[in-house]
Structures are given as structure tokens and as C-alpha cells.
Amino acid sequence: MLTATTLTLAGPAVATADAASLCVGRPSKTVTFPGGELRLYRSRQYVCATTVATHPGARRAMSLSLQPRGGRPAVDSGRYTRQAGPITVHALNRCVRASGSIAGRGTSTGWVLC
């Protein structure tokens, strides 16, 4: 019983519902667009991304795509109230390309974080 309690207490603690608490790494790039932001975070080996609505509320179509150079894109799309993602990809010494949209309005980056 003590072991189960120890493992439970050692788990990750999430203090806020902010996207920064869901991605590991330092904030590297934020691209704003009407209705939201595309946020990229980078650690040594990984890049994480989220699409966050400026005004959370009713469910609406949101999508997020993150692709390391030479790899397949990882995609999260659906009807969300606050954000799409997070998506994490292995990107050690590789550029990434990201795109995000909320209710048909969005943005994309070229190859970044090289």
C-alpha cells in the first residue's frame, strides 16, 4: 500500500490548465492568428505544439499538425473548447513545420527551430 501511495505522489503535478503546463521544454515560437495562437516548445530532443483559442467557449473545429523534417506529420483535429494538442514529436537536430487552425482560420510556419 505504501508503494502505491508513493507512486501516486511522485506523478506529475499540473498547477494550471495553461498549455505551457502540458508541453515540456521552453517556449520557442508563438504565431498569432485571428481567434488563437500556435505555440511551439522545444526541449533537447523534442518539439511540442498546441493551438490555443483566444476566447475559449463553445466547441468549434480546431486542428493542429506538427511535422519533423523527414518524418510524417502528427495531427490532432476535432471539436474543442480551448485547445488542440499538445502534440510532441522527436526532432533532435531537425527542423519542424507546424500549422494550426480554429474555426477555419489559421496559420502555418515554414521549417522552423532548425
Side-chain angles (χ1 to χ4, degrees), residues 61-87:
M62 292 188 191
S63 68
L64 174 64
S65 174
L66 183 61
Q67 177 183 9
R69 189 179 294 250
R72 293 184 180 187
V75 178
D76 179 22
S77 63
R79 297 184 59 79
Y80 303 111
T81 58
R82 178 169 166 54
Q83 73 180 36
I87 294 177

Side-chain angles (χ1 to χ4, degrees), residues 14-16 20-21 34 37 41 50 55 59-60 83 91 93 98 104 114:
V14 177
T16 65
S21 65
E37 293 180 338
Y41 300 85
T50 59
H55 303 290
R59 290 194 177 272
R60 56 194 169 234
Q83 73 180 36
N93 299 323
C114 298

Side-chain angles (χ1 to χ4, degrees), residues 29 40 67 69 95-99 108-114:
K29 188 168 189 71
L40 297 171
Q67 177 183 9
R69 189 179 294 250
C95 304
V96 295
R97 175 167 55 189
S99 64
S108 62
T109 66
W111 295 107
V112 295
L113 307 180
C114 298

Side-chain angles (χ1 to χ4, degrees), residues 1-11:
M1 187 60 135
L2 181 60
T3 305
T5 304
T6 305
L7 291 176
T8 303
L9 293 176

Side-chain angles (χ1 to χ4, degrees), residues 22-40:
L22 300 174
C23 281
V24 176
R26 67 183 187 281
S28 295
K29 188 168 189 71
T30 300
V31 181
T32 59
F33 58 93
E37 293 180 338
L38 174 62
R39 299 177 184 173
L40 297 171

